[in-house]
Amino acid sequence: MAKNSLKKPRIALKCPEVAVFFDLAVESARGILRGFTQYIRLNSPWNVNFVSKTVNDIDPSSLKNWHGDGILAHIPNAETLEEILSKNCPTVLLAREIKQDLSGYHRADSPLGPVFIRCDNAAIGKIAAEYFLQKNFRNFAYVSYSHDVCWCEERRLAFTETLRQRGFSTANFSPPSPFSDWFTQRDQLQAWLEELPKPVAILTANDFRGRQVLEVCQRAGISVPYDVAVLGVDNDLPVCEMCYPSLSSIEIDWERAGMLCAEALDAMMRGQIPTSPSIYRPIRVVSRNSTEFFQVSDRLVVQILEIIRISRGENIRVADIVEMLPVSERSAQERFKKVMGHSIIEEIKRVRMNNVCQLIEETTLSFHEIALSCGFENANHLGQLFKKEFGLTMGEYRKRKVNK
């Protein structure tokens, strides 16, 4: 190897001290910090001080007696921005809440900064629109977090513009403030949802809003996903998986965002102008039950599908379902098969086995625990049915998914 091809070691005289203002209660911040930490581990060590751990704890005055080398911060408002910039040190900001454009913000006494790392919110809106169009929706809506939040508006504009170019309009629900009383918002949201033409595809500003829409739909007796399909943003796993039904969401490359933040801050602390891009982007749509849509106009069939979904197909018979319906079993069977192309009992088996597959893929539960959870007598019985259905043992299925 040529001598000059060797990477010159970086020798630091001291470990940089960095202050972090983040709301660690949300997946976006945790993902960014994972990328931020990865960069530090791959390069030189930093002494990182967490000044705040939730959005309500963000108190820039806590920096009054702090004299460090760099700052990474989520910025909820202009006042916090001013306080942080008063430290006049290398600063990287994720301006998530501020309405006005901050890209041109410059201080004469801070020639290197601040640097703003941004999410490509236009790409999020476009991906969501294309996802719903592929599912052949014709009615669309957007639920904002607040009209005063820049990233929320950017997503809405891109979503509505993409749909407008394809000849569709978009309804919009925008509360006066993200911090207004939820019970008041809930009633307003329910009235708005009930008036929307159905079926309708709804993009929500984030997963938190998506969970609220699902809550209101359940409260109002609005069927998801047959009347309303809901797509969130962030792919915050605890939120998405604990929703009922589980919430589809757009996954964001938060770890890439963290790497960009660290790269920029590292350059600034060494007196250099950052050269890396300042935009991080969405990765993909993670589909779950809230958008598992297919056109069903027969309300009786929708009701049967809802009963099966709620019961997860576990230990439920066709006779149990028919008892809840205002028709005979024969009529229910005929109408269901006409719409779905298969029988009610086949749908029960399909839903039940899908739940088994999900537990095998997404958990470390033993096959015995999975069998009991899904209403089977034991793992051997389930294993025989599974092998017959998929041509694989449950162990082979889990191994294949893990190795993908």
Side-chain angles (χ1 to χ4, degrees), residues 56-68:
N56 294 325
D57 291 336
I58 292 179
D59 179 11
S61 64
S62 60
L63 283 175
K64 183 177 181 181
N65 298 316
W66 178 84
H67 302 286

Side-chain angles (χ1 to χ4, degrees), residues 76 96-99 142-157 172-180 185 204-206 208-209 212:
R96 290 178 55 82
E97 310 294 336
I98 305 176
K99 181 78 172 182
Y142 181 80
V143 176
S144 297
Y145 183 70
S146 169
H147 62 273
D148 292 325
V149 179
C150 60
W151 55 265
C152 180
E153 281 295 280
E154 289 168 0
R155 293 171 187 180
R156 182 188 68 81
L157 289 171
N172 182 56
F173 179 84
S174 182
S177 166
F179 307 108
S180 61
Q185 281 192 37
T204 62
N206 54 19
F208 177 76
R209 266 291 187 249
Q212 289 182 327

Side-chain angles (χ1 to χ4, degrees), residues 126-140 159 162-168 201:
K126 184 177 180 181
I127 285 175
E130 292 174 344
Y131 174 76
F132 283 138
L133 286 169
Q134 288 174 1
K135 288 181 171 288
N136 296 317
F137 279 96
R138 293 295 180 266
N139 301 308
F140 304 91
F159 183 64
T162 303
L163 292 170
R164 186 195 66 77
Q165 292 175 2
R166 299 287 290 273
F168 298 101

Side-chain angles (χ1 to χ4, degrees), residues 21-34 52-56 58 74 94 96-97 145 151 179 206-209 233-239 254 280:
F21 286 83
F22 260 33
D23 181 3
L24 298 185
V26 296
E27 172 59 22
S28 57
R30 296 191 297 270
I32 289 169
L33 288 177
R34 286 194 295 270
S52 59
K53 295 183 180 180
T54 71
V55 68
N56 294 325
I58 292 179
H74 267 156
L94 291 105
R96 290 178 55 82
E97 310 294 336
Y145 183 70
W151 55 265
F179 307 108
N206 54 19
D207 291 337
F208 177 76
R209 266 291 187 249
V233 180
D234 287 346
N235 197 37
D236 193 329
L237 290 181
V239 174
W254 297 121
Y280 57 97

Side-chain angles (χ1 to χ4, degrees), residues 1-9:
M1 182 180 292
K3 183 177 179 181
N4 58 7
S5 66
L6 295 173
K7 183 179 178 182
K8 185 177 180 180

